[in-house]
Amino acid sequence: KWEQLPDLSPTGMDVDATWQPDDPGNLPLILADDFLCTETGYITDIHIWGSWKDDHIPFLEAPEAVEFTFSIHSDIPAGGATFWSMPGDVLWVKTWTPTPDDVEFVESPPEDWYNPDTGEWINDNHFWCFKYNYILDPEDYFLQEGTEEEPIIYWLDVQAVPMDPNPACRFGWKTSLDNWNDDAVYTVGNEPYFGPWIEMTYPDGHEFMYESIDLAFQITTEEGPTNEYDFGDAPEGDGAIAYPSSGVTGSFPTCKTIGPAGYIQHGFGENLAWFGPMVDLETDGNAGACPGGCFPSYDLDECFLDGDAGLINPDSYTIDATGAVIPCPGATAGSSLGIICNNATWGVDIDINVTNNMPVDGYINVLFDWNQDGQWYNDMTTKCAGIVVHEYVVLDLGIPAGYSGTLSGLLPLGSTFQIGPNAGYVWVRFSITDVMIGLNDWDGSGVFEDGETEDYLLFIEEEPEELDFGDAPDPNYPTLLVNNGAGHILDGITYLGAQVDAEPDGLPDPNALGDDNNNLDDEDGVLFVCPLIPGEQGAVYVQASTSGLLNAWLDFDGNNSWDVSEQIFTDRSLIAGWNSLNFPVPTTAVPGVTFARFRFDTGGGLGVTGIANNGEVEDYQVEIEEDLHDGLKMHYHQWPDTTSFGLDVCTMEWRMLADDFLCVESGPINSIHIWGSWKFDEMMPDNVIFELGIWSDNPNGPNGWSEPDALLWERVFFPGDYIERLYDYVPDGEWWYDFYGDPPLIFPGDYNVWEYNFTIPDTSAFIQEEDNIYWLSVRTWIEGPYFEFGWKSSPNHWNDDAVWLDEPARAFWQELIYPAGHPFNLSGEEHVSMDMAFYIDCHPSNPVNFIISKVGTNITLQWDPVLCASYYNVYSSTDPYAAFPTGWTLEPTGTQITTTTWNDPVSTAGNKKFYRVTAEN
């Protein structure tokens, strides 16, 4: 097919084409020369001539001990960036190691050696020449496609890697006196190589100095194929309506002679693999109707009843000249693949006959245009229940050589795939190829040596309306349809949490777990993240699949109904993702187990009953806890976030964090609790110094947010001045945040949550005044090894965000927000509020300054008043070492003493009693 014979005269040269991986001093060289194709056919073998520098054959006697990489490229003509033509796109590449039978010895006179990169030219360098004969396996054949009318230029590239690691062992490709077109070229690199290249001419001093170099090779081909192949017949081009109901035109790769897409073509003469009983051939897509008025008519191949179609079920459809969808001849109107977002089972809902008479295994690929946009590409917005449905349904499924049967017979029994979310008609492409496609987003185009493609228009049914219902106990709460229970029509887009399922009716359960235990546990959209205490703030994290509106209720009074006054969220806007929300728990809330209902949709205005057009309802059993402070308002809670959303903000000697709180009753603060964690849970608890401060409020800070103003109280706590305890463990870990860290945000940064309790002597307590806003500040010092402590974030939010201050580097307070990358701020917004976890109260200390007096048999106890004590308990025992309080008697039994004095009339002389007094809140 092509021949450039070697120059075996004294003017012949061998041009270095070697890569020695073990010789970094010599760069890898690739040589290439062009050839012309005027007749389509398979390249079946390649022959090159070459010699070894200084006749240093690998291992001194094994010229076959070399690995060649051959590649074929398209042509970049001269006149562009360079004055010479060069190889373009890589079209084919193979690596070959010859056997001794593949190498022929050829005698030659002394010949020259030339390295085009270094310019090294050695006259009369070697004597031995070898011809290397690469006979390709049929599955490795390359199809060259030129004709006499439209010839095509290709380039052959060669690179040699000797198996002998000796740097002296270098292979050279022999020059040829047969010159065609432009010069041969070289480059420094490794295959596959994509350019640029440098032209080669004979070196200075050679007889042919500066003339073109061509290289010696032969290429052999088989007879080319006919002009008939197998093509697809899905609609392509202007006016080719793919979906009449929407007016979408087809851009499926079908027609070779028109656009806009590419085309798919099989076979170069004989096709040995097909669908159905046979394969018919055509000159272009749609049974040869392209070009011209290709569509309509449609399905001139598979819908033509010529015995070619292999589809067993379901029945297929076509589009007539008026744009109406009609069944193919012999098909049944109404036959469908299945219902949207349901599974289709191979062998039950769909199947096709397959035959592979190729001598090698073949591959099946199947594409569905689920989003009905007229092309086969994965669309990440095409989802069922929040999960993407890929248009690539079967990827490179192997067909053993000699197989004849159904496609389902190649799959495990009961194999399924998910149908897309759009009802109506969908174009499907089945392809058999002799090579793997190897892509996860194939568009259905390509040219293949064997196989067949069949395209079908199939019908998908609209799913009967499916609803999601609640599972709170009914009849107490309206859950069942008969009681107008809350329900949502599922649209596959709008829901809470990560998933949603349907049920035919409500699933009432004593613990609101009916939906959780039904098939798919989809009750995952709401997290209650702090205790529910009367008079305090509740907090929930809510995950939404898309933006929408939330309505929610919580039965605070426990009367088994959701009253209008118990609605905690009314058309609250949610963004897609996680939302941190707060709501007040009324002081009248009744402690105990109760229930909450959350309803999410895009329309809003929902009540606790009725059907919504989209979205989801989730019911939860929750518990309202006792107010341990019996109504006293000296305390203030911002609970720690002990979920995987929790974030610990690094504080240290030169960095102070602060958060604000509201005083609702005047009185002392003599107990402060904070929560936090240690980076990577590495800590030195005995060497931590805490500085706590209380500040007045500046409501109009210079940066637009409130901030601490004047320092009103400050105290330093050394080890031994506070109590620490492990508060919680978060199995999935929590976030660590350091403004100057690298990186600043780490997950997981820690797992353990610690509580630190600071008790302040009554004489040093800070006296807060009702209706004032104060700020609590925290910073730490660590003596000894360097460890980092972070103040924990809180799901509770009040007023403005927490703030931070660097001293002395920064002289003003900075707003503290969730950083970009945290689940609450994935988009990097500027104001995503953050609050810190702390608890302040007035905790009574033990009474002091006892005075015991005895008059006759009457004993009188007196002690100093204790801050925050609402009453006192007096205990007595005849054994001062008895366990307390089990070994002591409450005097008088069950009575709370509100004064600071107590009398004990002793009835029997000679008795001894020991007394203990406790202050209670």
Side-chain angles (χ1 to χ4, degrees), residues 651-654 678 687-692 714 716-717 779-783:
T651 176
M652 54 190 65
E653 179 179 353
W654 46 271
W678 295 86
N687 290 339
V688 185
I689 301 170
F690 288 88
E691 178 194 84
L692 306 184
E714 185 179 58
V716 177
F717 295 85
R779 62 176 169 176
T780 58
W781 288 267
I782 301 173
E783 296 181 348

PDB file of all heavy atoms in Angstrom, residues 651-654 678 687-692 714 716-717 779-783:
ATOM      1  N   THR A 651      -9.616  30.060  70.363  1.00  0.00           N
ATOM      2  CA  THR A 651      -9.349  31.227  71.187  1.00  0.00           C
ATOM      3  C   THR A 651      -8.042  30.996  71.926  1.00  0.00           C
ATOM      4  O   THR A 651      -7.710  29.868  72.283  1.00  0.00           O
ATOM      5  CB  THR A 651     -10.500  31.494  72.175  1.00  0.00           C
ATOM      6  OG1 THR A 651     -10.145  32.591  73.011  1.00  0.00           O
ATOM      7  CG2 THR A 651     -10.781  30.281  73.043  1.00  0.00           C
ATOM      8  N   MET A 652      -7.289  32.057  72.146  1.00  0.00           N
ATOM      9  CA  MET A 652      -5.987  31.917  72.790  1.00  0.00           C
ATOM     10  C   MET A 652      -5.626  33.238  73.462  1.00  0.00           C
ATOM     11  O   MET A 652      -6.445  34.170  73.526  1.00  0.00           O
ATOM     12  CB  MET A 652      -4.929  31.513  71.769  1.00  0.00           C
ATOM     13  CG  MET A 652      -4.840  32.420  70.556  1.00  0.00           C
ATOM     14  SD  MET A 652      -3.772  31.749  69.251  1.00  0.00           S
ATOM     15  CE  MET A 652      -4.697  30.296  68.782  1.00  0.00           C
ATOM     16  N   GLU A 653      -4.412  33.332  73.929  1.00  0.00           N
ATOM     17  CA  GLU A 653      -3.992  34.487  74.730  1.00  0.00           C
ATOM     18  C   GLU A 653      -4.231  35.804  74.019  1.00  0.00           C
ATOM     19  O   GLU A 653      -4.644  36.787  74.626  1.00  0.00           O
ATOM     20  CB  GLU A 653      -2.512  34.331  75.079  1.00  0.00           C
ATOM     21  CG  GLU A 653      -1.950  35.481  75.903  1.00  0.00           C
ATOM     22  CD  GLU A 653      -0.494  35.264  76.246  1.00  0.00           C
ATOM     23  OE1 GLU A 653       0.034  34.173  75.954  1.00  0.00           O
ATOM     24  OE2 GLU A 653       0.114  36.175  76.814  1.00  0.00           O
ATOM     25  N   TRP A 654      -4.015  35.845  72.730  1.00  0.00           N
ATOM     26  CA  TRP A 654      -4.135  37.113  72.008  1.00  0.00           C
ATOM     27  C   TRP A 654      -5.401  37.179  71.154  1.00  0.00           C
ATOM     28  O   TRP A 654      -5.543  38.074  70.344  1.00  0.00           O
ATOM     29  CB  TRP A 654      -2.918  37.342  71.121  1.00  0.00           C
ATOM     30  CG  TRP A 654      -2.509  36.148  70.319  1.00  0.00           C
ATOM     31  CD1 TRP A 654      -1.644  35.165  70.689  1.00  0.00           C
ATOM     32  CD2 TRP A 654      -2.980  35.793  69.012  1.00  0.00           C
ATOM     33  NE1 TRP A 654      -1.539  34.216  69.701  1.00  0.00           N
ATOM     34  CE2 TRP A 654      -2.345  34.585  68.649  1.00  0.00           C
ATOM     35  CE3 TRP A 654      -3.871  36.374  68.100  1.00  0.00           C
ATOM     36  CZ2 TRP A 654      -2.567  33.950  67.446  1.00  0.00           C
ATOM     37  CZ3 TRP A 654      -4.092  35.737  66.892  1.00  0.00           C
ATOM     38  CH2 TRP A 654      -3.443  34.542  66.579  1.00  0.00           C
ATOM     39  N   TRP A 678     -10.965  20.593  72.014  1.00  0.00           N
ATOM     40  CA  TRP A 678      -9.538  20.757  71.739  1.00  0.00           C
ATOM     41  C   TRP A 678      -9.246  20.230  70.345  1.00  0.00           C
ATOM     42  O   TRP A 678      -9.738  19.176  69.943  1.00  0.00           O
ATOM     43  CB  TRP A 678      -8.712  20.004  72.776  1.00  0.00           C
ATOM     44  CG  TRP A 678      -8.874  20.580  74.159  1.00  0.00           C
ATOM     45  CD1 TRP A 678      -9.840  20.287  75.061  1.00  0.00           C
ATOM     46  CD2 TRP A 678      -8.066  21.595  74.754  1.00  0.00           C
ATOM     47  NE1 TRP A 678      -9.706  21.047  76.189  1.00  0.00           N
ATOM     48  CE2 TRP A 678      -8.599  21.855  76.037  1.00  0.00           C
ATOM     49  CE3 TRP A 678      -6.937  22.305  74.334  1.00  0.00           C
ATOM     50  CZ2 TRP A 678      -8.052  22.797  76.892  1.00  0.00           C
ATOM     51  CZ3 TRP A 678      -6.381  23.235  75.197  1.00  0.00           C
ATOM     52  CH2 TRP A 678      -6.938  23.475  76.456  1.00  0.00           C
ATOM     53  N   ASN A 687      -3.243  22.612  82.690  1.00  0.00           N
ATOM     54  CA  ASN A 687      -2.429  23.810  82.506  1.00  0.00           C
ATOM     55  C   ASN A 687      -3.172  24.900  81.749  1.00  0.00           C
ATOM     56  O   ASN A 687      -2.556  25.732  81.102  1.00  0.00           O
ATOM     57  CB  ASN A 687      -1.139  23.474  81.741  1.00  0.00           C
ATOM     58  CG  ASN A 687      -0.184  22.640  82.591  1.00  0.00           C
ATOM     59  OD1 ASN A 687      -0.288  22.632  83.807  1.00  0.00           O
ATOM     60  ND2 ASN A 687       0.718  21.944  81.939  1.00  0.00           N
ATOM     61  N   VAL A 688      -4.497  24.910  81.826  1.00  0.00           N
ATOM     62  CA  VAL A 688      -5.286  25.865  81.065  1.00  0.00           C
ATOM     63  C   VAL A 688      -5.752  26.988  81.974  1.00  0.00           C
ATOM     64  O   VAL A 688      -6.314  26.751  83.049  1.00  0.00           O
ATOM     65  CB  VAL A 688      -6.500  25.191  80.406  1.00  0.00           C
ATOM     66  CG1 VAL A 688      -7.223  26.186  79.514  1.00  0.00           C
ATOM     67  CG2 VAL A 688      -6.064  23.974  79.615  1.00  0.00           C
ATOM     68  N   ILE A 689      -5.516  28.212  81.535  1.00  0.00           N
ATOM     69  CA  ILE A 689      -5.970  29.400  82.256  1.00  0.00           C
ATOM     70  C   ILE A 689      -7.045  30.061  81.410  1.00  0.00           C
ATOM     71  O   ILE A 689      -6.857  30.292  80.217  1.00  0.00           O
ATOM     72  CB  ILE A 689      -4.806  30.376  82.501  1.00  0.00           C
ATOM     73  CG1 ILE A 689      -3.698  29.700  83.320  1.00  0.00           C
ATOM     74  CG2 ILE A 689      -5.300  31.635  83.212  1.00  0.00           C
ATOM     75  CD1 ILE A 689      -2.427  30.518  83.406  1.00  0.00           C
ATOM     76  N   PHE A 690      -8.185  30.337  82.040  1.00  0.00           N
ATOM     77  CA  PHE A 690      -9.293  30.994  81.352  1.00  0.00           C
ATOM     78  C   PHE A 690      -9.446  32.417  81.880  1.00  0.00           C
ATOM     79  O   PHE A 690      -9.347  32.650  83.091  1.00  0.00           O
ATOM     80  CB  PHE A 690     -10.609  30.247  81.572  1.00  0.00           C
ATOM     81  CG  PHE A 690     -10.708  28.943  80.848  1.00  0.00           C
ATOM     82  CD1 PHE A 690     -10.251  27.767  81.434  1.00  0.00           C
ATOM     83  CD2 PHE A 690     -11.268  28.877  79.586  1.00  0.00           C
ATOM     84  CE1 PHE A 690     -10.354  26.564  80.761  1.00  0.00           C
ATOM     85  CE2 PHE A 690     -11.366  27.678  78.918  1.00  0.00           C
ATOM     86  CZ  PHE A 690     -10.905  26.518  79.503  1.00  0.00           C
ATOM     87  N   GLU A 691      -9.690  33.336  80.974  1.00  0.00           N
ATOM     88  CA  GLU A 691     -10.063  34.694  81.356  1.00  0.00           C
ATOM     89  C   GLU A 691     -11.478  34.943  80.847  1.00  0.00           C
ATOM     90  O   GLU A 691     -11.736  34.877  79.644  1.00  0.00           O
ATOM     91  CB  GLU A 691      -9.117  35.711  80.749  1.00  0.00           C
ATOM     92  CG  GLU A 691      -9.505  37.155  81.094  1.00  0.00           C
ATOM     93  CD  GLU A 691      -8.783  38.172  80.245  1.00  0.00           C
ATOM     94  OE1 GLU A 691      -9.258  38.434  79.122  1.00  0.00           O
ATOM     95  OE2 GLU A 691      -7.737  38.667  80.691  1.00  0.00           O
ATOM     96  N   LEU A 692     -12.396  35.200  81.776  1.00  0.00           N
ATOM     97  CA  LEU A 692     -13.776  35.512  81.441  1.00  0.00           C
ATOM     98  C   LEU A 692     -14.042  36.970  81.741  1.00  0.00           C
ATOM     99  O   LEU A 692     -13.551  37.515  82.747  1.00  0.00           O
ATOM    100  CB  LEU A 692     -14.754  34.637  82.233  1.00  0.00           C
ATOM    101  CG  LEU A 692     -14.555  33.122  82.144  1.00  0.00           C
ATOM    102  CD1 LEU A 692     -15.671  32.413  82.909  1.00  0.00           C
ATOM    103  CD2 LEU A 692     -14.532  32.658  80.708  1.00  0.00           C
ATOM    104  N   GLU A 714     -14.177  41.169  85.214  1.00  0.00           N
ATOM    105  CA  GLU A 714     -13.184  40.271  84.631  1.00  0.00           C
ATOM    106  C   GLU A 714     -12.621  39.398  85.733  1.00  0.00           C
ATOM    107  O   GLU A 714     -12.439  39.826  86.871  1.00  0.00           O
ATOM    108  CB  GLU A 714     -12.067  41.080  83.964  1.00  0.00           C
ATOM    109  CG  GLU A 714     -11.042  40.238  83.231  1.00  0.00           C
ATOM    110  CD  GLU A 714      -9.978  41.099  82.564  1.00  0.00           C
ATOM    111  OE1 GLU A 714      -9.320  41.869  83.292  1.00  0.00           O
ATOM    112  OE2 GLU A 714      -9.834  41.019  81.338  1.00  0.00           O
ATOM    113  N   VAL A 716      -9.783  35.879  86.169  1.00  0.00           N
ATOM    114  CA  VAL A 716      -8.900  34.862  85.623  1.00  0.00           C
ATOM    115  C   VAL A 716      -9.037  33.608  86.474  1.00  0.00           C
ATOM    116  O   VAL A 716      -8.984  33.677  87.705  1.00  0.00           O
ATOM    117  CB  VAL A 716      -7.434  35.342  85.587  1.00  0.00           C
ATOM    118  CG1 VAL A 716      -6.524  34.218  85.077  1.00  0.00           C
ATOM    119  CG2 VAL A 716      -7.307  36.562  84.693  1.00  0.00           C
ATOM    120  N   PHE A 717      -9.216  32.461  85.805  1.00  0.00           N
ATOM    121  CA  PHE A 717      -9.410  31.189  86.476  1.00  0.00           C
ATOM    122  C   PHE A 717      -8.225  30.280  86.163  1.00  0.00           C
ATOM    123  O   PHE A 717      -7.960  29.970  85.002  1.00  0.00           O
ATOM    124  CB  PHE A 717     -10.705  30.524  86.014  1.00  0.00           C
ATOM    125  CG  PHE A 717     -11.948  31.299  86.386  1.00  0.00           C
ATOM    126  CD1 PHE A 717     -12.394  32.328  85.568  1.00  0.00           C
ATOM    127  CD2 PHE A 717     -12.646  31.013  87.545  1.00  0.00           C
ATOM    128  CE1 PHE A 717     -13.530  33.040  85.892  1.00  0.00           C
ATOM    129  CE2 PHE A 717     -13.791  31.729  87.871  1.00  0.00           C
ATOM    130  CZ  PHE A 717     -14.229  32.752  87.060  1.00  0.00           C
ATOM    131  N   ARG A 779     -11.133  34.008  76.657  1.00  0.00           N
ATOM    132  CA  ARG A 779      -9.855  33.700  76.021  1.00  0.00           C
ATOM    133  C   ARG A 779      -9.064  32.792  76.938  1.00  0.00           C
ATOM    134  O   ARG A 779      -9.373  32.664  78.131  1.00  0.00           O
ATOM    135  CB  ARG A 779      -9.070  34.946  75.640  1.00  0.00           C
ATOM    136  CG  ARG A 779      -8.650  35.860  76.755  1.00  0.00           C
ATOM    137  CD  ARG A 779      -7.804  36.976  76.154  1.00  0.00           C
ATOM    138  NE  ARG A 779      -7.564  38.054  77.108  1.00  0.00           N
ATOM    139  CZ  ARG A 779      -6.792  39.100  76.857  1.00  0.00           C
ATOM    140  NH1 ARG A 779      -6.189  39.203  75.681  1.00  0.00           N
ATOM    141  NH2 ARG A 779      -6.610  40.042  77.756  1.00  0.00           N
ATOM    142  N   THR A 780      -8.049  32.118  76.396  1.00  0.00           N
ATOM    143  CA  THR A 780      -7.331  31.096  77.144  1.00  0.00           C
ATOM    144  C   THR A 780      -5.824  31.298  77.044  1.00  0.00           C
ATOM    145  O   THR A 780      -5.320  31.877  76.079  1.00  0.00           O
ATOM    146  CB  THR A 780      -7.657  29.692  76.604  1.00  0.00           C
ATOM    147  OG1 THR A 780      -7.310  29.624  75.221  1.00  0.00           O
ATOM    148  CG2 THR A 780      -9.139  29.386  76.768  1.00  0.00           C
ATOM    149  N   TRP A 781      -5.151  30.832  78.081  1.00  0.00           N
ATOM    150  CA  TRP A 781      -3.697  30.671  78.061  1.00  0.00           C
ATOM    151  C   TRP A 781      -3.400  29.214  78.380  1.00  0.00           C
ATOM    152  O   TRP A 781      -4.106  28.585  79.177  1.00  0.00           O
ATOM    153  CB  TRP A 781      -3.011  31.529  79.121  1.00  0.00           C
ATOM    154  CG  TRP A 781      -2.986  32.994  78.853  1.00  0.00           C
ATOM    155  CD1 TRP A 781      -2.031  33.722  78.236  1.00  0.00           C
ATOM    156  CD2 TRP A 781      -4.018  33.929  79.238  1.00  0.00           C
ATOM    157  NE1 TRP A 781      -2.372  35.043  78.194  1.00  0.00           N
ATOM    158  CE2 TRP A 781      -3.592  35.211  78.808  1.00  0.00           C
ATOM    159  CE3 TRP A 781      -5.241  33.816  79.893  1.00  0.00           C
ATOM    160  CZ2 TRP A 781      -4.333  36.361  79.019  1.00  0.00           C
ATOM    161  CZ3 TRP A 781      -5.986  34.952  80.103  1.00  0.00           C
ATOM    162  CH2 TRP A 781      -5.541  36.211  79.666  1.00  0.00           C
ATOM    163  N   ILE A 782      -2.373  28.692  77.775  1.00  0.00           N
ATOM    164  CA  ILE A 782      -1.986  27.309  78.033  1.00  0.00           C
ATOM    165  C   ILE A 782      -0.512  27.296  78.403  1.00  0.00           C
ATOM    166  O   ILE A 782       0.340  27.735  77.618  1.00  0.00           O
ATOM    167  CB  ILE A 782      -2.236  26.418  76.810  1.00  0.00           C
ATOM    168  CG1 ILE A 782      -3.724  26.460  76.447  1.00  0.00           C
ATOM    169  CG2 ILE A 782      -1.792  24.984  77.071  1.00  0.00           C
ATOM    170  CD1 ILE A 782      -4.057  25.755  75.159  1.00  0.00           C
ATOM    171  N   GLU A 783      -0.233  26.835  79.605  1.00  0.00           N
ATOM    172  CA  GLU A 783       1.151  26.753  80.070  1.00  0.00           C
ATOM    173  C   GLU A 783       1.720  25.399  79.690  1.00  0.00           C
ATOM    174  O   GLU A 783       1.104  24.370  79.939  1.00  0.00           O
ATOM    175  CB  GLU A 783       1.209  26.959  81.582  1.00  0.00           C
ATOM    176  CG  GLU A 783       0.743  28.347  82.032  1.00  0.00           C
ATOM    177  CD  GLU A 783       0.848  28.524  83.539  1.00  0.00           C
ATOM    178  OE1 GLU A 783       1.051  27.497  84.221  1.00  0.00           O
ATOM    179  OE2 GLU A 783       0.732  29.664  83.996  1.00  0.00           O
TER     180      GLU A 783
END
